[in-house]
């Protein structure tokens, strides 16, 4: 097979080449569309899904071909960026991202900062003059490479980070200075070698090759397989891989990373919905391991970026004809777009958006009915909190979904599935929002986490499934070995009843009464569309 026909470029020299979504993947296809209409997208090349299929069929036989393809394409990327991969001066760093032909948020892997080594970090330091950026990026690469390529545990790296923060008196990783990050990166190198039995690779092309293979392999990760089963997605299509020039949200106080929705994906309200973290990379926001505390401050600190995001949201809706979820990075006050896709939304939001888009003349009734095809309109209700008197308010968290959930506490996905199998409603309570918990998220009525933001991949999936979801509850502490937890000052056990209210973000002890309402006015409009379509046919 001539695999060169399945290579694609975004912002690269030579003839512009795009491909069908089945080969290029929806993520890369959308990046190419954004770049074509003048939105700020970093340059990239794309390895199409047939390469994933060839690699999966015979990895050993395909490896030499894959390496040659990567070498040829990285040269194109170098020419577009004016940087050199693996160079001691002006080094090019890249992200290696998955991208199936259909949206699978957080189900496959990404590795950032690929190409950073002991040698190239000196070049990056000369180029940026920012030692904190350099060492922060290096420690991130070492950990991601360890977890994704070698499948090593994250706990040793997390423990080293916690120790470093304690020594430095830092509350958040962003508060660590470059000296602390230098020590941390060096300790990560030792941890990597101790766990893997090999030194961290200092050949940038080896990093790129192994990272690409790992992303191909993530097509068959357990969470990806389970998600495809749940959504009835073809198991054979494979994933494309996008190799893209790095932009750095961890470059300082005018940099950061975020996720935006052009409309509220929980309620359907026509307003920009953002999560943002200053001095961070994108995985900090979407991984579910961190909160996104800087959304409000973005508007006051970088008002030009906030205004640009509002206009970008409107442009994306017009271009793609649907509500969009987009990922972005701000480097030194400059906005870059890294992804867009049709937004996962609650069934309630899907109905409201469809009605409002038809009323505004932007969608035809037929198109709206097509988009609502998977929504159970007959069973669509929104739950609201009833009389909560007599039920102690335990704490408050950040709403990331819609409605109310009442159930017994489950502390892991297996426990949530066992409760569901027994016919008991449950609340999955976890430290982080993680897509590894997909089966438990699907089984539970609601999700409560100590960390994470509204736009973490797992929160996005929970919202699409119509689950009540509260994230970032700072007053939640879980003791897994004892199967116990505290919320605020109240001790609880697995199996105790709690209530989550996504309207207020409140968490109550016990089962608070629930009021259910139907969107009758909207449903009446949809019924009229059906009636008209039936009459017309």
């Amino acid at each position: 097979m001539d695999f060169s026909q399945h290579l694609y470029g975004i912002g690269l020299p030579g003839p512009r080449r795009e491909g069908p979504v089945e080969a290029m993947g929806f993520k890369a296809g959308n990046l190419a569309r954004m770049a074509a209409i003048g939105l700020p997208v970093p340059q990239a090349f794309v390895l199409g899904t047939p390469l994933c299929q060839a690699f999966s069929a015979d990895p050993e036989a395909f490896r030499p071909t894959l390496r040659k393809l990567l070498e040829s394409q990285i040269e194109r990327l170098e020419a577009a960026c004016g940087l050199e991969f693996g160079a001691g001066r002006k080094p090019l760093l890249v992200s290696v991202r998955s991208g199936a032909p259909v949206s699978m948020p957080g189900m496959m892997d990404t590795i950032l900062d690929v190409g950073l080594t002991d040698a190239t970090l000196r070049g990056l330091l000369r180029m940026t003059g920012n030692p904190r950026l350099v060492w922060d990026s290096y420690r991130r690469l070492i950990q991601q490479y360890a977890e994704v390529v070698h499948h090593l545990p994250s706990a040793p790296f997390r423990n080293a980070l916690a120790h470093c923060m304690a020594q430095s008196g830092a509350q958040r990783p962003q508060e660590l200075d470059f000296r602390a990050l230098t020590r941390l990166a060096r300790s990560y190198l030792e941890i990597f070698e101790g766990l893997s039995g090999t030194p961290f690779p200092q050949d940038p092309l080896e990093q790129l090759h192994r990272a690409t293979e790992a992303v191909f392999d993530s097509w068959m990760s357990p969470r990806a397989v389970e998600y495809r089963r749940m959504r009835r997605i073809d198991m054979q299509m494979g994933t494309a891989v996008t190799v893209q020039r790095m932009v750095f949200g961890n470059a300082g106080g005018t940099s950061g990373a975020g996720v935006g929705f052009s409309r509220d994906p929980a309620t359907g309200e026509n307003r920009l919905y953002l999560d943002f973290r200053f001095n961070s990379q994108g995985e900090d926001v979407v991984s579910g391991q961190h909160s996104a505390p800087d959304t409000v401050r973005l508007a006051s600190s970088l008002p030009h970026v906030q205004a640009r995001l509002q206009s970008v949201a409107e442009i994306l809706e017009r271009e793609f004809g649907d509500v969009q979820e987009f990922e972005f990075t701000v480097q030194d006050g400059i906005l870059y777009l890294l992804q867009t896709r049709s937004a996962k939304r609650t069934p309630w939001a899907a109905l409201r958006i469809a009605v409002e888009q038809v009323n505004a003349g932007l969608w035809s009734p037929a198109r709206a009915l097509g988009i609502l095809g998977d929504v159970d309109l007959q069973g669509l209700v929104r739950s609201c909190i009833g009389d909560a008197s007599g039920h102690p308010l335990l704490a408050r968290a950040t709403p990331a979904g819609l409605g109310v959930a009442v159930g017994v506490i489950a502390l892991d996905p297996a426990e949530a599935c066992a409760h569901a199998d027994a016919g008991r409603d449950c609340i999955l309570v976890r430290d982080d929002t993680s897509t590894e918990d997909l089966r438990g998220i699907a089984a539970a009525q609601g999700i409560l986490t100590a960390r994470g933001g509204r736009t973490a991949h797992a929160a996005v999936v929970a919202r699409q499934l119509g689950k009540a979801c509260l994230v970032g509850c700072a007053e939640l502490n879980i003791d897994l070995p004892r199967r116990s937890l505290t919320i605020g000052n109240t001790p609880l056990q697995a199996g105790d009843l709690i209530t989550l209210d996504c309207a207020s973000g409140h968490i109550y002890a016990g089962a608070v009464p629930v009021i259910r309402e139907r969107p009758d006015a909207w449903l009446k409009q949809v019924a009229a569309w059906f009636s008209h379509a039936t009459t017309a046919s």
Side-chain angles (χ1 to χ4, degrees), residues 157-220:
F157 297 98
R158 288 193 187 185
N159 293 340
L161 174 59
H163 178 69
C164 182
M165 289 170 60
Q167 279 189 323
S168 301
Q171 296 299 311
R172 300 196 299 168
Q174 292 97 317
E175 298 171 12
L176 295 172
D177 64 19
F178 81 89
R179 293 181 181 84
L181 287 167
T182 301
R183 294 193 299 271
L184 182 62
R186 292 302 183 197
S187 72
Y188 275 18
L189 289 170
E190 293 175 1
I191 293 169
F192 180 95
E193 185 165 358
L195 292 173
S196 68
T198 61
F200 183 75
Q202 296 297 319
D203 177 358
L205 194 59
E206 179 188 350
Q207 291 181 11
L208 178 59
H209 192 169
R210 295 292 303 278
T212 302
E213 290 188 358
V215 174
F216 280 150
D217 281 337
S218 70
W219 172 254
M220 293 305 297

Side-chain angles (χ1 to χ4, degrees), residues 114-372:
V114 172
L116 198 51
T117 66
D118 287 349
T120 59
L121 66 83
R122 290 192 289 271
L124 185 62
L125 177 58
R126 282 192 293 267
M127 186 170 72
T128 64
N130 189 337
R132 192 194 179 283
L133 163 66
V134 172
W135 288 103
D136 185 52
S137 299
Y138 200 23
R139 64 98 180 173
R140 289 169 180 272
L141 169 63
I142 296 163
Q143 181 173 354
Q144 278 198 318
Y145 195 91
E147 294 176 8
V148 175
V149 176
H150 287 266
H151 306 291
L152 299 176
S154 63
F157 297 98
R158 288 193 187 185
N159 293 340
L161 174 59
H163 178 69
C164 182
M165 289 170 60
Q167 279 189 323
S168 301
Q171 296 299 311
R172 300 196 299 168
Q174 292 97 317
E175 298 171 12
L176 295 172
D177 64 19
F178 81 89
R179 293 181 181 84
L181 287 167
T182 301
R183 294 193 299 271
L184 182 62
R186 292 302 183 197
S187 72
Y188 275 18
L189 289 170
E190 293 175 1
I191 293 169
F192 180 95
E193 185 165 358
L195 292 173
S196 68
T198 61
F200 183 75
Q202 296 297 319
D203 177 358
L205 194 59
E206 179 188 350
Q207 291 181 11
L208 178 59
H209 192 169
R210 295 292 303 278
T212 302
E213 290 188 358
V215 174
F216 280 150
D217 281 337
S218 70
W219 172 254
M220 293 305 297
S221 69
R223 65 183 185 274
V225 170
E226 176 65 13
Y227 186 84
R228 292 197 295 275
R229 184 195 66 77
M230 288 173 53
R231 307 299 298 177
R232 298 186 295 277
I233 297 171
D234 180 6
M235 293 283 182
Q236 305 304 316
M237 62 177 64
T239 182
V241 171
T242 299
V243 178
Q244 189 168 36
R245 173 175 67 88
M246 277 295 301
V247 288
F248 298 98
N250 57 330
T254 58
S255 303
V259 177
F261 289 76
S262 57
R263 298 179 189 231
D264 188 319
T267 68
E269 183 181 352
N270 187 4
R271 66 181 183 89
L272 186 61
Y273 183 100
L274 290 177
D275 272 358
F276 186 76
R277 280 176 67 93
F278 275 107
N279 206 16
S280 299
Q281 291 192 344
E283 287 299 297
D284 296 335
V285 178
V286 300
S287 69
Q289 297 177 12
H290 307 281
S291 61
D294 301 322
T295 305
V296 174
R297 189 159 65 88
L298 173 64
S300 59
S301 299
L302 299 173
H304 67 287
V305 172
Q306 179 77 16
R308 180 63 168 143
L309 286 167
Q310 181 66 59
S311 68
V312 161
E314 295 166 3
I315 291 168
L316 290 175
E317 273 206 11
R318 288 197 302 270
E319 172 68 18
F320 291 94
D322 194 8
V323 177
Q324 293 295 292
E325 174 195 353
F326 55 97
E327 296 181 17
F328 62 94
T329 288
V330 180
Q331 180 178 332
D332 297 326
I334 300 173
L335 175 67
Y336 298 91
L337 299 175
L338 303 178
Q339 178 173 333
T340 194
R341 59 180 165 219
S342 291
K344 309 299 183 187
R345 62 204 81 169
T346 65
W348 185 280
L351 175 60
R352 174 175 178 170
I353 290 166
V355 168
E356 290 184 353
Q357 295 287 68
V358 170
N359 290 345
L362 299 173
W363 291 358
S364 68
R367 181 158 192 271
L369 289 173
I371 288 175
L372 292 173

Side-chain angles (χ1 to χ4, degrees), residues 438-450:
L438 180 60
R439 291 183 65 248
I441 292 171
Q445 295 299 306
I447 297 91
L448 171 65
T449 70

Side-chain angles (χ1 to χ4, degrees), residues 65-131:
T65 299
L66 178 60
R67 189 175 182 93
K68 289 179 182 178
L69 293 173
L70 289 170
E71 288 175 348
S72 68
Q73 295 307 294
I74 205 72
E75 289 178 1
R76 295 180 67 206
L77 189 56
E78 289 172 335
C81 300
L83 304 171
E84 186 177 348
F85 193 66
R89 292 179 180 273
K90 299 181 68 176
L92 169 66
L93 303 186
V94 298
S95 60
V96 182
R97 302 175 184 272
S98 61
V102 295
S103 178
M104 295 175 56
M107 298 303 149
M108 292 176 290
D109 288 323
T110 290
I111 305 180
L112 307 181
D113 306 300
V114 172
L116 198 51
T117 66
D118 287 349
T120 59
L121 66 83
R122 290 192 289 271
L124 185 62
L125 177 58
R126 282 192 293 267
M127 186 170 72
T128 64
N130 189 337

Side-chain angles (χ1 to χ4, degrees), residues 5-6 8 17-26 29 48-49 101:
Q5 64 183 311
H6 302 300
Y8 310 98
R17 176 169 168 75
E18 297 178 16
V21 68
E22 294 80 10
M24 195 174 184
F26 90 95
T49 55

Side-chain angles (χ1 to χ4, degrees), residues 370-387:
I371 288 175
L372 292 173
D374 291 335
V375 177
D376 178 12
L377 295 174
Q378 296 304 312
L380 185 57
V381 296
R382 179 171 66 177
S383 53
C384 303
I385 203 78
D387 183 6

